[in-house]
Amino acid sequence: MHPMLNIAVRAARNAGNIIARACEQLDLVVAEQKGANDLVTNIDKEAEQAIIATIQKSYPDHCFVGEEFGVITGENSDYQWIIDPLDGTTNFIKGIPHFAVSIALKVKGKLDQAVIYDPIRGELFTASKGAGAQLNGYRIRSSKAKELKGTVLATGFPFKQKHQMDAYMNIFQALFVHTADIRRAGSAALDLAYVAAGRHDGFWEMGLKPWDIAAGQLICQEAGVLVTDFAGGNNYENSGNIVAGSARVVKEMLKEMRPHLNDALTR
């Protein structure tokens, strides 16, 4: 395992331990509204602090971008860690056991290492640039689906962009009639990890943030998944609109989505 990936795994497990312990006493979790339809808990913040502290022990001069604490600058700006300490906070608050820790590392602006850790199932998805993707140390590959028919897709509702609900529902309907089924589980990081592992044949969501996407993007790409924005380009990190799956599935998804996109969704 790459030394920096090893540290990321250690950080993810430390955060996962905090989250798992908190699951046993959810009545003590303090939740607050940080934005429209956006919750944060004391556990999100504690887990993010644990991640940063673990990484800083080995790399004190690195930079960080975290969902809860924003940007932490370091002397060595070539290394930037992108952290979502608890992706699926609403699930966590409600006691729904589907959420994850997500950590990615960019080196000189390029994704290099990635970890997504599900502390409830004990599933650790990892990837190093050019070295493939793993689940608990075993190589994973994406679905071999060659068409949209018969697929199981994953998605997330635009709960932070409800003004896009009409466009979203039109896209949902256009895709749903061609698939076996569609899942909405509440964690974009795990959705992407599941596409990488072949559990889902494809995924789309709008309005995501860099920390929602970064680790899952690299894990997907290292597992043979095509990742694009809604226009078939590479602007998903900025737009937050992402599609992932095999090349043929993504091609068909984009074809079905295109008639229902507005200008805001194709930027």
Side-chain angles (χ1 to χ4, degrees), residues 20-183:
R21 285 197 300 270
C23 284
E24 298 173 2
Q25 294 180 301
L26 284 176
D27 56 320
L28 300 181
V29 172
V30 179
E32 60 185 271
Q33 198 91 13
K34 66 175 180 179
N37 307 308
D38 198 5
L39 294 170
V40 64
T41 72
N42 58 313
I43 302 303
D44 294 71
K45 296 175 181 179
E46 188 177 341
E48 188 163 288
Q49 287 173 333
I51 292 167
I52 293 171
T54 301
I55 295 171
Q56 283 183 330
K57 284 181 182 178
S58 298
Y59 306 109
D61 59 345
H62 285 191
C63 301
F64 297 85
V65 176
E67 180 175 10
E68 310 309 335
F69 288 93
V71 178
I72 299 175
T73 58
E75 294 179 9
N76 193 339
S77 59
D78 285 348
Y79 294 86
Q80 182 186 68
W81 296 86
I82 305 168
I83 301 164
D84 190 341
L86 179 49
D87 185 67
T89 298
T90 301
N91 282 349
F92 168 73
I93 291 169
K94 293 293 185 179
I96 300 169
H98 189 80
F99 39 77
V101 180
S102 177
I103 303 172
L105 171 65
K106 279 186 174 181
V107 179
K108 297 182 178 179
K110 303 287 186 180
L111 283 169
D112 194 72
Q113 308 294 329
V115 175
I116 294 173
Y117 178 52
D118 178 344
I120 300 302
R121 296 176 183 86
E123 292 191 328
L124 182 74
F125 300 86
T126 58
S128 294
K129 181 67 176 175
Q134 293 80 35
L135 167 55
N136 291 342
Y138 293 92
R139 184 73 178 264
I140 53 175
R141 295 293 296 178
S142 60
S143 161
K144 294 181 173 61
K146 296 180 179 179
E147 60 181 354
L148 195 53
K149 181 180 178 181
T151 58
V152 173
L153 303 182
T155 188
F157 298 136
F159 63 95
K160 296 179 187 177
Q161 296 188 349
K162 291 190 175 179
H163 61 284
Q164 295 286 12
M165 199 63 195
D166 287 344
Y168 175 83
M169 291 307 297
N170 289 334
I171 291 169
F172 188 102
Q173 183 174 0
L175 293 172
F176 182 71
V177 296
H178 294 287
T179 65
D181 210 345
I182 294 177
R183 302 282 183 264

